[in-house]
Amino acid sequence: MATAQGERTGTGWLTYAGVMLMVAGLIDVVHGLWALDRADTRSNLLLYADKLGGWGWFYLILGIVLVLAGIGVFYRSQWARWTGIIVASISIVGNALWVFVFPVQVFILILLASLVVYGLVVYGEPETV
């Protein structure tokens, strides 16, 4: 199966990985802004009570990094590639910890993150001529 002249291999996989990183980043930005907006409310359900503002900043910064990494994947940036691989790998491990609580959702999230890692590992290398 020959590719058209000038067409890069794995463009679909990299597009998928970039879009998924940006979607995850936008969701984290929304979560971060929500937490910052509610930082003055008290909650005993958090891991560290009364630290909603700190979690808000964490998710806001993480979301911005993920959106920038998703954009960088479209430009085949190596820092974006490695950021995506690391974050998706952490997502796989983190979701695996919840497998006995939310089995179907966890398997779906692990599958999606695994496809991001696959796309970035296999097709993210810079092309040599």
Side-chain angles (χ1 to χ4, degrees), residues 56-69:
W57 282 109
F58 171 76
Y59 278 107
L60 182 63
I61 293 169
L62 177 66
I64 291 169
V65 168
L66 286 175
V67 169
L68 292 175

PDB file of all heavy atoms in Angstrom, residues 56-69:
ATOM      1  N   GLY A  56      -7.829  23.178  42.140  1.00  0.00           N
ATOM      2  CA  GLY A  56      -8.241  23.963  40.978  1.00  0.00           C
ATOM      3  C   GLY A  56      -7.052  24.449  40.174  1.00  0.00           C
ATOM      4  O   GLY A  56      -7.031  24.345  38.945  1.00  0.00           O
ATOM      5  N   TRP A  57      -6.037  24.984  40.852  1.00  0.00           N
ATOM      6  CA  TRP A  57      -4.835  25.433  40.144  1.00  0.00           C
ATOM      7  C   TRP A  57      -4.106  24.271  39.495  1.00  0.00           C
ATOM      8  O   TRP A  57      -3.593  24.374  38.378  1.00  0.00           O
ATOM      9  CB  TRP A  57      -3.898  26.181  41.093  1.00  0.00           C
ATOM     10  CG  TRP A  57      -4.361  27.579  41.342  1.00  0.00           C
ATOM     11  CD1 TRP A  57      -4.889  28.079  42.494  1.00  0.00           C
ATOM     12  CD2 TRP A  57      -4.371  28.653  40.402  1.00  0.00           C
ATOM     13  NE1 TRP A  57      -5.220  29.389  42.333  1.00  0.00           N
ATOM     14  CE2 TRP A  57      -4.908  29.771  41.060  1.00  0.00           C
ATOM     15  CE3 TRP A  57      -3.997  28.768  39.071  1.00  0.00           C
ATOM     16  CZ2 TRP A  57      -5.067  30.993  40.416  1.00  0.00           C
ATOM     17  CZ3 TRP A  57      -4.155  29.990  38.438  1.00  0.00           C
ATOM     18  CH2 TRP A  57      -4.683  31.089  39.111  1.00  0.00           C
ATOM     19  N   PHE A  58      -4.068  23.126  40.189  1.00  0.00           N
ATOM     20  CA  PHE A  58      -3.406  21.947  39.624  1.00  0.00           C
ATOM     21  C   PHE A  58      -4.068  21.532  38.316  1.00  0.00           C
ATOM     22  O   PHE A  58      -3.398  21.335  37.294  1.00  0.00           O
ATOM     23  CB  PHE A  58      -3.444  20.789  40.638  1.00  0.00           C
ATOM     24  CG  PHE A  58      -2.987  19.482  40.069  1.00  0.00           C
ATOM     25  CD1 PHE A  58      -1.642  19.230  39.869  1.00  0.00           C
ATOM     26  CD2 PHE A  58      -3.906  18.503  39.724  1.00  0.00           C
ATOM     27  CE1 PHE A  58      -1.209  18.032  39.329  1.00  0.00           C
ATOM     28  CE2 PHE A  58      -3.489  17.307  39.192  1.00  0.00           C
ATOM     29  CZ  PHE A  58      -2.137  17.063  38.993  1.00  0.00           C
ATOM     30  N   TYR A  59      -5.396  21.412  38.321  1.00  0.00           N
ATOM     31  CA  TYR A  59      -6.094  20.978  37.112  1.00  0.00           C
ATOM     32  C   TYR A  59      -6.077  22.038  36.019  1.00  0.00           C
ATOM     33  O   TYR A  59      -6.044  21.700  34.834  1.00  0.00           O
ATOM     34  CB  TYR A  59      -7.526  20.548  37.437  1.00  0.00           C
ATOM     35  CG  TYR A  59      -7.584  19.146  37.953  1.00  0.00           C
ATOM     36  CD1 TYR A  59      -7.822  18.884  39.297  1.00  0.00           C
ATOM     37  CD2 TYR A  59      -7.359  18.071  37.104  1.00  0.00           C
ATOM     38  CE1 TYR A  59      -7.850  17.595  39.777  1.00  0.00           C
ATOM     39  CE2 TYR A  59      -7.380  16.777  37.582  1.00  0.00           C
ATOM     40  CZ  TYR A  59      -7.623  16.547  38.910  1.00  0.00           C
ATOM     41  OH  TYR A  59      -7.631  15.267  39.383  1.00  0.00           O
ATOM     42  N   LEU A  60      -6.094  23.295  36.403  1.00  0.00           N
ATOM     43  CA  LEU A  60      -6.016  24.359  35.407  1.00  0.00           C
ATOM     44  C   LEU A  60      -4.670  24.319  34.676  1.00  0.00           C
ATOM     45  O   LEU A  60      -4.611  24.373  33.442  1.00  0.00           O
ATOM     46  CB  LEU A  60      -6.236  25.721  36.066  1.00  0.00           C
ATOM     47  CG  LEU A  60      -6.239  26.923  35.135  1.00  0.00           C
ATOM     48  CD1 LEU A  60      -7.390  26.820  34.141  1.00  0.00           C
ATOM     49  CD2 LEU A  60      -6.341  28.201  35.933  1.00  0.00           C
ATOM     50  N   ILE A  61      -3.584  24.198  35.419  1.00  0.00           N
ATOM     51  CA  ILE A  61      -2.245  24.135  34.811  1.00  0.00           C
ATOM     52  C   ILE A  61      -2.085  22.854  33.999  1.00  0.00           C
ATOM     53  O   ILE A  61      -1.572  22.882  32.870  1.00  0.00           O
ATOM     54  CB  ILE A  61      -1.162  24.270  35.892  1.00  0.00           C
ATOM     55  CG1 ILE A  61      -1.209  25.681  36.486  1.00  0.00           C
ATOM     56  CG2 ILE A  61       0.223  23.962  35.324  1.00  0.00           C
ATOM     57  CD1 ILE A  61      -0.383  25.862  37.730  1.00  0.00           C
ATOM     58  N   LEU A  62      -2.543  21.726  34.547  1.00  0.00           N
ATOM     59  CA  LEU A  62      -2.475  20.461  33.812  1.00  0.00           C
ATOM     60  C   LEU A  62      -3.266  20.546  32.513  1.00  0.00           C
ATOM     61  O   LEU A  62      -2.803  20.102  31.455  1.00  0.00           O
ATOM     62  CB  LEU A  62      -2.999  19.313  34.669  1.00  0.00           C
ATOM     63  CG  LEU A  62      -3.044  17.938  34.004  1.00  0.00           C
ATOM     64  CD1 LEU A  62      -1.629  17.450  33.695  1.00  0.00           C
ATOM     65  CD2 LEU A  62      -3.779  16.947  34.882  1.00  0.00           C
ATOM     66  N   GLY A  63      -4.433  21.142  32.549  1.00  0.00           N
ATOM     67  CA  GLY A  63      -5.251  21.279  31.351  1.00  0.00           C
ATOM     68  C   GLY A  63      -4.588  22.138  30.296  1.00  0.00           C
ATOM     69  O   GLY A  63      -4.616  21.815  29.104  1.00  0.00           O
ATOM     70  N   ILE A  64      -3.967  23.226  30.706  1.00  0.00           N
ATOM     71  CA  ILE A  64      -3.268  24.093  29.752  1.00  0.00           C
ATOM     72  C   ILE A  64      -2.102  23.347  29.114  1.00  0.00           C
ATOM     73  O   ILE A  64      -1.887  23.416  27.898  1.00  0.00           O
ATOM     74  CB  ILE A  64      -2.808  25.395  30.443  1.00  0.00           C
ATOM     75  CG1 ILE A  64      -4.025  26.248  30.791  1.00  0.00           C
ATOM     76  CG2 ILE A  64      -1.843  26.172  29.558  1.00  0.00           C
ATOM     77  CD1 ILE A  64      -3.725  27.422  31.696  1.00  0.00           C
ATOM     78  N   VAL A  65      -1.347  22.590  29.912  1.00  0.00           N
ATOM     79  CA  VAL A  65      -0.228  21.811  29.380  1.00  0.00           C
ATOM     80  C   VAL A  65      -0.738  20.769  28.385  1.00  0.00           C
ATOM     81  O   VAL A  65      -0.140  20.563  27.316  1.00  0.00           O
ATOM     82  CB  VAL A  65       0.571  21.151  30.525  1.00  0.00           C
ATOM     83  CG1 VAL A  65       1.551  20.122  29.995  1.00  0.00           C
ATOM     84  CG2 VAL A  65       1.305  22.201  31.332  1.00  0.00           C
ATOM     85  N   LEU A  66      -1.844  20.110  28.696  1.00  0.00           N
ATOM     86  CA  LEU A  66      -2.395  19.100  27.794  1.00  0.00           C
ATOM     87  C   LEU A  66      -2.902  19.707  26.488  1.00  0.00           C
ATOM     88  O   LEU A  66      -2.704  19.128  25.413  1.00  0.00           O
ATOM     89  CB  LEU A  66      -3.518  18.324  28.475  1.00  0.00           C
ATOM     90  CG  LEU A  66      -3.084  17.317  29.530  1.00  0.00           C
ATOM     91  CD1 LEU A  66      -4.302  16.702  30.200  1.00  0.00           C
ATOM     92  CD2 LEU A  66      -2.216  16.250  28.926  1.00  0.00           C
ATOM     93  N   VAL A  67      -3.538  20.855  26.559  1.00  0.00           N
ATOM     94  CA  VAL A  67      -3.991  21.511  25.328  1.00  0.00           C
ATOM     95  C   VAL A  67      -2.790  21.899  24.472  1.00  0.00           C
ATOM     96  O   VAL A  67      -2.780  21.673  23.253  1.00  0.00           O
ATOM     97  CB  VAL A  67      -4.875  22.739  25.649  1.00  0.00           C
ATOM     98  CG1 VAL A  67      -5.119  23.580  24.411  1.00  0.00           C
ATOM     99  CG2 VAL A  67      -6.202  22.301  26.245  1.00  0.00           C
ATOM    100  N   LEU A  68      -1.755  22.460  25.091  1.00  0.00           N
ATOM    101  CA  LEU A  68      -0.551  22.823  24.334  1.00  0.00           C
ATOM    102  C   LEU A  68       0.144  21.592  23.767  1.00  0.00           C
ATOM    103  O   LEU A  68       0.644  21.622  22.636  1.00  0.00           O
ATOM    104  CB  LEU A  68       0.408  23.621  25.221  1.00  0.00           C
ATOM    105  CG  LEU A  68      -0.079  25.006  25.632  1.00  0.00           C
ATOM    106  CD1 LEU A  68       0.900  25.647  26.596  1.00  0.00           C
ATOM    107  CD2 LEU A  68      -0.304  25.880  24.413  1.00  0.00           C
ATOM    108  N   ALA A  69       0.148  20.494  24.520  1.00  0.00           N
ATOM    109  CA  ALA A  69       0.737  19.248  24.018  1.00  0.00           C
ATOM    110  C   ALA A  69      -0.073  18.713  22.847  1.00  0.00           C
ATOM    111  O   ALA A  69       0.503  18.218  21.863  1.00  0.00           O
ATOM    112  CB  ALA A  69       0.828  18.210  25.131  1.00  0.00           C
TER     113      ALA A  69
END
